[in-house]
Amino acid sequence: MKPMAHLGVGIGWRPEIADAVERLPGLDWVEVVAENVCPGHLPESLLRLRERGTRVVPHGVSLGLGGADRPDPAKLAALGERAVALGAPLVTEHIAFVRTSSPVLEAGHLLPVPRTRDALDVLCENVRIAQDSLPVPLALENIAALFSWPGEELTEAQFLTELVGRTGVRLLIDVANLHTNRVNRGEDPAAVLDAIPLEALAYVHVAGGIERGGVWHDTHAHPVPPVVLDLLAALRSRVDPPGVLLERDDDFPAEAELAGELAAIRAVVTAGPPAPGRPAVAGSGPAAAEPRPDAEPDPAAEPDAAAEPLPVEESARTRVALGQAALLSALVAGTPVPEGFDRRRIRVQARALAAKRADVVARLAPELPEILGGPDPYREAFLSYAKGRPVTAGYRRDALDFAEDLLIRDLPADPVARRRLTAWWRDRTGARPPRRIVRWARALAGRAA
């Protein structure tokens, strides 16, 4: 495997903290959510960082490479365009599924794939398609999960190791997600770190979260807890990571607190060399050197270029699709929970998805909470609407459908607010709200389908 570029210590760039990020001392690089930037209109802050020599890595969240369908060529092209526009040394995504095509459902969240042979075959083929389409190397992140799939055939470490061996993809290891999965799924982070191919490490994520009712929520909105820094130290004792990045997506703290978290991370990373016998990632520090000419090649370090991978049988994709559709439908459309899943955990996940969806719609359409009398009445109304209305056409359409649903039911009760909501809806659709009879007809047609 070719040496990975040294990145250093970085932070996730977000518009809300753009000015603070530019002032952070000793910042080596930043990561941006790929879908949140436009290649032709990059934020001025990112342009200034690039001019200073700060590397920028796009981090995708919508490909869904773990889904049953092959990757969307348009999404791959868009991710590649952002890599080129940012001069990125690589792009990253997640080992997750985010949607299904039959029925058409969007999770709005990264959901775990089953660790089965079928799912691994599908993921590997999807990764190879992505690699062939992207202009730079790809790294994939282990995700945080609230629940486990029944009937899994591989451990996390086995799944990741085979993925790397069959595709040559790099790994983005999120130590906060390892902690999440320790609490939520009973997995041992040390066992994962001991067994995965650390020579494939691209970089590391560190983030905060919170525990509620025995469930760890990977919020990216809380300070990094000591237990996550301990996992970073455990990884550092095994390997010299090319890069480590702090993620913060909400409830942004003061600039001094961000700087303090970065300093704590840097202290762990620079604490000392990896333990004897553990690999130092090539290109990640002064110990990096050219490969020895007499070194034996590692057959697991790269996919076998001489042997063309066999295409995945469509039956495997079908089996993965059926399982993912049944699960996602239970999470966002209120259908029964598939056999074998922890029903309590699925309910927790369903509530979390609905709350996240409400937050996204409120950010896209901030007028809605205002018209409905504030955040609490808005959230109550939206969560009631969302129970039977999964996202199928994006969040902007979701906001319009929510407003339409309220108007059809003669809500809100206040006539002034209802007139304001009607005007808001008409301005964005150029139409009149459908009458109740139209709504009933749509509902009946949906049940017949």
Side-chain angles (χ1 to χ4, degrees), residues 87-436:
L90 77 164
V91 296
T92 59
E93 249 288 352
H94 299 82
I95 302 170
F97 82 100
V98 297
R99 66 182 61 85
T100 59
S101 59
S102 181
V104 177
L105 296 172
E106 287 281 344
H109 189 69
L110 302 164
L111 295 175
V113 300
R115 290 182 297 217
T116 62
R117 288 290 170 189
D118 280 346
L120 180 60
D121 289 345
V122 169
L123 174 63
C124 286
E125 185 170 86
N126 288 351
V127 167
R128 287 191 289 265
I129 292 170
Q131 289 170 317
D132 289 344
S133 302
L134 293 168
V136 294
L138 171 68
L140 294 181
E141 178 180 351
N142 60 305
I143 71 162
L146 280 173
F147 59 87
S148 297
W149 283 77
E152 292 192 314
E153 300 164 342
L154 301 166
T155 66
E156 177 81 342
Q158 290 169 334
F159 196 85
L160 295 178
T161 299
E162 283 210 36
L163 172 65
V164 171
R166 291 169 58 177
T167 66
V169 75
R170 293 188 180 275
L171 296 177
L172 192 180
I173 295 299
D174 189 316
V175 291
N177 291 351
L178 292 179
H179 173 65
T180 301
N181 294 341
R182 169 167 53 192
V183 176
N184 294 349
R185 304 204 287 187
E187 296 174 356
D188 181 4
V192 176
L193 294 177
D194 281 339
I196 61 175
L198 290 175
E199 67 276 6
L201 185 65
Y203 59 88
V204 179
H205 272 174
V206 179
I210 190 170
E211 186 171 351
R212 298 192 195 96
V215 174
W216 186 269
H217 297 270
D218 181 46
T219 64
H220 295 191
H222 294 81
V224 177
V227 67
V228 171
L229 288 178
D230 289 345
L231 282 177
L232 177 61
L235 183 147
R236 177 66 182 84
S237 73
R238 293 162 167 80
V239 68
D240 184 7
V244 181
L245 183 121
L246 170 65
E247 286 189 296
R248 188 75 180 235
D249 295 329
D250 206 351
D251 288 346
F252 298 102
E255 185 175 331
E257 187 175 336
L258 284 176
E261 290 208 280
L262 281 177
I265 290 169
R266 188 176 287 106
V268 173
V269 173
T270 58
R278 298 292 185 180
V281 173
S284 63
E290 292 295 320
R292 295 191 348 260
D294 60 336
E296 289 294 323
D298 180 359
E302 298 280 2
D304 187 354
E308 187 71 23
L310 295 174
V312 175
E313 294 182 4
E314 287 305 312
S315 58
R317 285 193 181 271
T318 299
R319 289 190 292 271
V320 171
L322 290 173
Q324 292 181 348
L327 172 62
L328 187 51
S329 182
L331 288 170
V332 303
T335 59
V337 177
E339 192 67 31
F341 283 95
D342 184 323
R343 284 172 165 73
R344 185 181 75 85
R345 288 297 176 93
I346 296 301
R347 286 195 296 270
V348 171
Q349 182 72 84
R351 288 195 298 269
L353 292 181
K356 182 176 180 179
R357 179 179 165 192
D359 291 342
V360 173
V361 168
R363 284 198 296 271
L364 288 174
E367 304 88 351
L368 292 177
E370 179 191 348
I371 292 171
L372 295 178
D376 291 341
Y378 159 77
R379 180 173 288 263
E380 181 181 355
F382 188 90
L383 293 181
S384 175
Y385 150 83
K387 285 180 181 177
R389 295 289 299 274
V391 180
T392 59
Y395 290 110
R396 296 187 188 279
R397 182 72 251 175
D398 201 24
L400 294 172
D401 288 346
F402 169 52
E404 177 186 314
D405 182 74
L406 290 173
L407 293 171
I408 289 168
R409 293 187 289 124
D410 290 330
L411 295 173
D414 175 41
V416 175
R418 193 161 62 250
R419 284 195 295 271
R420 289 184 63 198
L421 185 61
T422 300
W424 182 90
W425 187 86
R426 284 177 176 170
D427 285 346
R428 286 152 182 80
T429 63
R432 297 181 63 84
R435 292 175 298 173
R436 282 193 185 87

Side-chain angles (χ1 to χ4, degrees), residues 72-86:
D72 182 345
K75 290 184 183 294
L76 285 172
L79 185 57
E81 287 171 4
R82 283 149 180 79
V84 172
L86 294 167

Side-chain angles (χ1 to χ4, degrees), residues 26-84:
L27 185 70
D28 299 313
W29 65 294
V30 298
E31 179 192 78
V32 297
V33 177
E35 290 81 355
N36 290 350
V37 295
C38 178
H41 303 279
L42 294 176
E44 292 294 327
S45 174
L46 282 181
L47 294 175
R48 286 192 294 270
L49 287 169
R50 286 196 60 208
E51 289 170 1
R52 283 166 29 185
T54 305
R55 282 186 167 171
V56 182
V57 173
H59 184 54
V61 297
S62 65
L63 267 183
L65 291 174
D69 295 323
R70 291 174 176 82
D72 182 345
K75 290 184 183 294
L76 285 172
L79 185 57
E81 287 171 4
R82 283 149 180 79
V84 172

